[in-house]
Amino acid sequence: MFLNSFGLNLNFNNMKKLFLSLMLVAAVAAGFVGCKKNASESDTHTQTFSLGETSYDINNAVTIENIQYQGSDVYNAIVVYTGSQTSQTGGEGKGVAILFKGNISTGTHHFTGNAEDYPKYVFADLSVTDVINFDITQLLDNDEAYIATSGSLTLAISNGTYTITTNGIEVENAANVNNTETSSVDYEGTMQNYVLATVQEGTLNNDNIVTAGATKLQIMMFEQKIVCFITDAGDMIGFIYQGDEIPTGTIENANIIYIHEMNLNALQMGTSTITIEANEDVYTVNIEDVTISGEHYTLHYVGTLPFFDLPI
């Protein structure tokens, strides 16, 4: 009844990919920052979100851009959340996702609960399993998943500072529409910004690539530039490169890194031959069979490689 009332069963695969990309990238960000709080401090706002009488500190605040699925409309999102969902210290965390159809727009937005109306406001209980094996039906069946049916949210953006306030938001439980609560967000500060890749093709063995990009990672006390590819299973593979631009051509004996379920404390490495072609902003990348800790991996990818400036 709940799924049908919001039209989610009408476009299940698209919504699944949208929310997967949304939560996965937020979780990747959390994995890189660990327990470090990246949300800004404020003297005038509580820096919290709530469900009913329970309030949660906003430890991380991110915007996620270019959420899409096989040529669908482009969506963008704001996610505020507490806790860390990934890496060795990962566990359960809670957050609010505000999903826009098109650009993130300032002003006051009213929630109706209609499937066609955006933005959508979702309170979710997130765990490592939810992130790396995301299933929207399982997420919405969880007792801690709620979606806004009334109330409003006001967003202002000035010189990179986001101010989010809410008024009278009521949410319905995904598993029991008769279970309603209030919810709120009160935040003022900067956001970390992430741009999802436009993936045309992408596989790592039998897993699909859901996003990719260039970033920096601390490896053995040194900051390394890497191109990384993230699967729908929550694993990441990538290669280290030098210079200001992503290289093209054939690279032999390239250093390959692999991270299972975003556990940054268990990073594994190997070497392989890589071929990279670039046609404007679309890259074709192939990593030949590489053996890492006894496992074999082969990657094929066609798509963009936006830059992620992750704090390390």
Side-chain angles (χ1 to χ4, degrees), residues 104-137:
I104 294 172
S105 55
T106 58
T108 298
H109 305 279
H110 297 273
F111 303 108
T112 66
N114 293 328
E116 298 80 10
D117 293 344
Y118 286 84
K120 296 186 183 300
Y121 177 109
V122 177
F123 176 98
D125 186 9
L126 306 175
S127 69
V128 175
T129 303
D130 291 325
V131 172
I132 64 174
N133 291 317
F134 192 88
D135 186 323
I136 194 169
T137 58

Side-chain angles (χ1 to χ4, degrees), residues 20-226:
L20 167 61
S21 299
L22 173 67
M23 295 306 179
L24 181 59
V25 173
V28 170
F32 277 86
V33 301
C35 295
K36 178 182 177 181
K37 182 175 181 177
N38 78 307
S40 305
E41 302 293 338
S42 173
D43 295 327
T44 56
H45 294 264
T46 62
Q47 310 298 67
T48 60
F49 63 94
S50 71
L51 181 72
E53 297 181 355
T54 305
S55 180
Y56 304 90
D57 291 334
I58 295 174
N59 299 126
N60 295 281
V62 301
T63 63
I64 302 172
E65 303 173 27
N66 196 40
I67 304 168
Q68 57 183 299
Y69 175 67
Q70 295 183 350
S72 73
D73 292 323
V74 173
Y75 297 78
N76 296 276
I78 292 173
V79 182
V80 295
Y81 55 100
T82 186
S84 173
Q85 284 91 48
T86 60
S87 78
Q88 193 174 53
T89 59
E92 291 190 353
K94 300 178 187 294
V96 169
I98 306 157
L99 183 64
F100 293 81
K101 188 175 184 178
N103 294 330
I104 294 172
S105 55
T106 58
T108 298
H109 305 279
H110 297 273
F111 303 108
T112 66
N114 293 328
E116 298 80 10
D117 293 344
Y118 286 84
K120 296 186 183 300
Y121 177 109
V122 177
F123 176 98
D125 186 9
L126 306 175
S127 69
V128 175
T129 303
D130 291 325
V131 172
I132 64 174
N133 291 317
F134 192 88
D135 186 323
I136 194 169
T137 58
Q138 293 180 8
L139 183 64
L140 292 177
D141 281 342
N142 187 286
D143 289 343
E144 294 300 326
Y146 292 80
I147 191 164
T149 57
S150 64
S152 64
L153 175 145
T154 300
L155 171 66
I157 306 174
S158 177
N159 297 321
T161 296
Y162 288 65
T163 303
I164 306 172
T165 57
T166 55
N167 182 40
I169 289 184
E170 292 188 357
V171 292
E172 285 185 352
N173 183 267
N176 180 4
V177 296
N178 295 317
N179 180 2
T180 61
E181 288 281 4
T182 59
S183 185
S184 66
V185 175
D186 185 34
Y187 178 74
E188 180 184 54
T190 57
M191 295 268 172
Q192 290 181 272
N193 303 112
Y194 301 92
V195 180
L196 295 179
T198 299
V199 181
Q200 297 181 10
E201 302 171 11
T203 55
L204 175 64
N205 292 357
N206 295 322
D207 294 329
N208 294 320
I209 303 296
V210 294
T211 193
T215 188
K216 293 179 287 186
L217 182 63
Q218 199 88 10
I219 302 176
M220 291 182 286
M221 300 180 65
F222 295 98
E223 183 180 90
Q224 302 282 359
K225 295 179 180 178
I226 66 170

